[in-house]
Amino acid sequence: MSSSADAGIRRVLVANRGEIAVRVFRACRELGISTVAIYGAGEESASHVRYADDAFRLPDGPGLPYLNIDAVLDIGRRAGADAVHPGYGFLAENAGFAEAIRGAGLRFIGPSADHIEAMGDKVRAREVASKAGIQPVPGTPGPVRDLDSAIAWAAEHGYPVAVKASGGGGGRGFRVARVEAEMADAFAGSSGEAERYFSNPNVYLERYLERPRHIEVQVFGDLHGNVVALGERDCSVQRRHQKLVEETPSPAVDAKLRQDLREATRALATSVGYLGAGTVEYLLDASGQFYFLEMNTRIQVEHTITEMVTGIDLVKEQIRVANGEPLGFSSDDVDARGWALECRINAEDPAREFAPVPGTISRYREPGGFGVRVDSAVIEGDQIRPEYDSLIAKLVTWGRDREEAIARMERALADFEAEGTPTTIGFHRRLMAHPRFRAGEFSTTFLTDFPEIVQDGTWDGPASHPESGRDIPEEPIDLLVEVNGRRFQTVIHGLPQAGVQPAVAGRRSRPRQHQGAGRRSAQAMGEALLSPIQGTVLRVAVEEGQTVEAGDLICVVEAMKMENELTAHRTGVVSQLSVDQGQTVTIGAVVATITDGQAAAMPPA
């Protein structure tokens, strides 16, 4: 197979960071292509910067530096790049970015701007799918103008209703209203998040299907008229409509349904002359009926598992297709061999509704062995930064069948060491052991239906000892001991220690059910409500002097690309409000002071 370097692409800038940037750089290195990284403040020694052949800092300014199209173009020119790979997230599905790259005389390693615009707008994508003979999830024919229109449509078609960003994806701009009283918050939340992430506040409505499977199909097209669907992935295990575990093939898809999904996906991509890598996502109901959900015009986070069962390097294929070469495979080459799983190892605390926790990775050891793949962008001592997502690594295992792939994942998770922040490793171990997951019987509501997977009750964050009043450290302590010549490894939980920050106000044995943004009780110290996370205040929902009930929304804090609703820890009056919209808060910072009504009404002494 020809080298893309020989054919024209010789130097690629990756307009992204983290593990996807490293993933693209590795593919480029195998193709003999030199690489250019970009980075923001504090990322001078990030793994993607270290791995690249060259690196340029993005200028400081408002918002995330990776969204600065002019700066990326300027670096591309100065670096002598002849192609740009967008990765995923950030500008990957921004039609204006793709057009600007091509307008600057560079190759864009992705679909055309027209394809991104048509399929990136979820309303237009539904129209394209319908014309290709694929039934979309029942919903509004176009964007909903206002809240009254949304309420009227829902009253006619019934609840629950999903409110979704027209230009969104990846779980952003997605809220659910189960009754009319929830529509105002769902509409405002979806539209606001869509404006922040996609610069497009438009939303549309869909019927919210109860307990569906989330199935997606990888598709690839080239300039020579070849369009190939590579098989399905099951992405049903999610939190906040964002994926945690993916596998291929899907245990819910038989041979007939698999063929139908491939034909539908190929028909959709062919109808628009699609170029490059893309993913068509579907919802599958209990009867086996599938509905078009959306199309992502980029490489997916979970592309790894398709690579594991097909043996095809999808990122290399992206580069070759962008260079005008034909696909290096046909439909005959894509039948799955074996089974593959991917677990997303995130710096999140599952016991606190997967709250992201930035910090420094103090210890890091990846698993290895036959059938194990780790795509990461960290080494020991690296930081998980609060302004970006919480992904530490993607852990992938392959087996000859599903049982072997799960057993290998269990072993790899037990071998994985990542310390310094809470992680999802323990959650994944509980998930792999759950009988319903092992039986392949799960849906998008799986974690809500079985909350014991999320929180096992052994330790769920800091707490105060009820008798001594002393504080307990946030992390258990690992000890290695030797008794009579025999080696033991033990973990101590709840060892009292002075100087620890105030404790969590209360402890739940089961996590609160949620949709959309995380909704949680913040930390508390007496009357003071403290932030359990570090992030930016997006919205303040109360005013000083306002009476609130326990559980009422106080403010929304964005942390690591997740919106977190901080709620009142007690009933009373907001006697002091310590945050404003746009303000940055740190862990333990006072958000508000809530006193009882009588105390608030008393005149000062």
Side-chain angles (χ1 to χ4, degrees):
M1 194 170 289
S2 64
S3 165
S4 292
D6 295 337
I9 295 180
R10 299 180 180 275
R11 190 163 168 83
V12 170
L13 181 149
V14 175
N16 218 295
R17 65 183 299 278
E19 49 77 33
I20 185 57
V22 175
R23 170 70 185 90
V24 177
F25 291 154
R26 286 173 174 157
C28 288
R29 186 164 292 183
E30 292 179 21
L31 291 170
I33 297 172
S34 67
T35 55
V36 180
I38 57 176
Y39 62 95
E43 295 187 293
E44 295 81 3
S45 297
S47 291
H48 75 285
V49 175
R50 294 192 300 262
Y51 194 90
D53 297 317
D54 207 348
F56 291 76
R57 176 169 173 164
L58 291 159
D60 296 333
L64 294 177
Y66 291 89
L67 299 178
N68 189 333
I69 293 177
D70 290 338
V72 174
L73 287 173
D74 179 63
I75 291 174
R77 297 187 193 97
R78 289 192 289 139
D82 46 42
V84 174
H85 193 298
Y88 40 68
F90 295 134
L91 299 170
E93 293 181 279
N94 185 308
F97 180 60
E99 189 65 33
I101 292 297
R102 291 185 169 116
L106 306 177
R107 286 183 171 91
F108 181 75
I109 302 177
S112 70
D114 289 342
H115 290 149
I116 294 173
E117 186 173 9
M119 305 311 293
D121 184 299
K122 308 310 177 190
V123 173
R124 288 184 61 188
R126 288 164 57 87
E127 296 172 355
V128 172
S130 295
K131 290 179 180 178
I134 307 170
Q135 182 178 354
V137 178
T140 58
V144 180
R145 296 189 309 274
D146 50 38
L147 176 60
D148 289 341
S149 300
I151 291 174
W153 188 91
E156 179 181 353
H157 294 85
Y159 289 91
V161 170
V163 185
K164 306 180 70 174
S166 296
R172 306 295 178 196
F174 188 126
R175 299 291 189 276
V176 175
R178 295 188 174 277
V179 294
E180 182 176 323
E182 297 177 355
M183 182 60 84
D185 283 347
F187 191 89
S190 179
S191 180
E193 190 173 28
E195 172 98 49
R196 290 188 295 275
Y197 282 97
F198 311 113
S199 300
N200 179 359
N202 290 337
V203 298
Y204 67 102
L205 306 183
E206 285 181 348
R207 283 298 309 273
Y208 183 69
L209 302 181
E210 297 283 6
R211 292 177 168 77
R213 302 289 283 242
H214 187 147
I215 307 295
E216 63 186 27
V217 181
Q218 179 76 60
V219 68
F220 236 110
D222 64 21
L223 287 169
H224 303 270
N226 301 307
V227 177
V228 179
L230 287 86
E232 86 282 355
R233 300 184 287 250
D234 196 316
C235 309
S236 301
V237 179
Q238 304 176 0
R239 52 94 172 91
R240 299 184 189 138
H241 309 291
Q242 294 179 321
K243 304 162 188 172
L244 285 168
V245 176
E246 301 94 358
E247 62 180 293
T248 186
S250 167
V253 175
D254 59 22
K256 172 64 167 58
L257 180 56
R258 179 168 297 114
Q259 185 62 28
D260 290 345
L261 285 165
R262 284 187 177 182
E263 289 179 359
T265 301
R266 189 174 183 278
L268 176 61
T270 300
S271 71
V272 295
Y274 191 77
L275 174 69
T279 300
V280 181
E281 303 200 359
Y282 302 93
L283 291 182
L284 177 68
D285 67 20
S287 71
Q289 174 68 47
F290 63 89
Y291 301 90
F292 173 79
L293 185 62
E294 63 184 27
M295 183 176 187
N296 292 306
T297 54
R298 53 175 167 79
I299 198 76
Q300 293 276 94
V301 176
E302 58 273 19
H303 74 276
T304 55
I305 55 175
T306 298
E307 292 180 329
M308 294 292 276
V309 298
T310 63
I312 298 170
D313 187 322
L314 298 180
V315 175
K316 282 186 180 178
E317 292 296 329
Q318 281 189 294
I319 297 170
R320 291 184 174 119
V321 166
N323 208 40
E325 302 173 40
L327 289 175
F329 58 90
S330 67
S331 296
D332 296 333
D333 302 320
V334 297
D335 286 335
R337 294 183 289 276
W339 212 283
L341 296 164
E342 175 180 282
C343 290
R344 301 192 189 191
I345 310 301
N346 299 327
E348 297 174 359
D349 187 348
R352 289 166 52 214
E353 300 179 5
F354 293 93
V357 186
T360 300
I361 303 297
S362 59
R363 179 173 175 81
Y364 186 76
R365 296 289 184 276
E366 294 178 352
F370 183 81
V372 176
R373 167 178 172 176
V374 181
D375 278 23
S376 72
V378 302
I379 61 173
E380 197 165 283
D382 280 356
Q383 280 192 325
I384 303 298
R385 300 186 61 82
E387 60 266 44
Y388 302 114
D389 65 48
S390 60
L391 185 69
I392 295 174
K394 300 184 304 192
L395 175 59
V396 184
T397 60
W398 177 90
R400 290 168 293 179
D401 53 31
R402 190 170 188 266
E403 184 178 1
E404 185 175 60
I406 291 175
R408 186 160 288 146
M409 180 62 76
E410 289 183 301
R411 187 267 298 171
L413 286 165
D415 291 348
F416 209 131
E417 298 180 38
E419 300 176 5
T421 71
T423 74
T424 53
I425 292 175
F427 156 77
H428 286 301
R429 295 183 70 178
R430 293 190 294 276
L431 175 67
M432 293 296 132
H434 197 277
R436 291 289 292 271
F437 179 80
R438 297 183 81 93
E441 300 171 354
F442 51 85
S443 71
T444 57
T445 64
F446 189 61
L447 299 186
T448 301
D449 296 337
F450 298 97
E452 68 273 12
I453 302 173
V454 176
Q455 182 173 313
D456 64 1
T458 57
W459 176 74
D460 61 353
S464 289
H465 194 285
E467 296 177 358
S468 68
R470 290 179 293 178
D471 292 315
I472 295 173
E474 295 190 11
E475 296 288 345
I477 300 174
D478 289 296
L479 290 180
L480 182 64
V481 297
E482 187 177 295
V483 180
N484 295 330
R486 185 176 181 184
R487 181 182 181 277
F488 294 89
Q489 193 160 7
T490 186
V491 179
I492 296 179
H493 295 268
L495 185 67
Q497 176 177 314
V500 179
Q501 291 296 316
V504 169
R507 174 187 179 116
R508 293 196 302 269
S509 60
R510 294 166 68 92
R512 185 192 303 268
Q513 295 185 5
H514 56 80
Q515 296 288 351
R519 189 174 182 88
R520 69 186 84 253
S521 292
Q523 293 180 339
M525 184 174 61
E527 296 175 341
L529 185 71
L530 311 179
S531 175
I533 54 177
Q534 177 175 322
T536 302
V537 178
L538 297 180
R539 181 163 70 95
V540 178
V542 297
E543 298 177 348
E544 288 188 358
Q546 181 175 333
T547 299
V548 295
E549 300 287 333
D552 282 355
L553 178 65
I554 301 298
C555 66
V556 179
V557 177
E558 182 185 50
M560 301 175 84
K561 295 189 176 181
M562 291 186 185
E563 293 187 7
N564 302 273
E565 298 180 351
L566 305 190
T567 60
H569 62 296
R570 63 188 302 237
T571 297
V573 174
V574 180
S575 61
Q576 182 177 354
L577 193 59
S578 306
V579 295
D580 291 315
Q581 182 175 339
Q583 178 180 335
T584 299
V585 295
T586 58
I587 295 174
V590 176
V591 173
T593 302
I594 302 176
T595 58
D596 63 59
Q598 290 181 340
M602 292 176 62

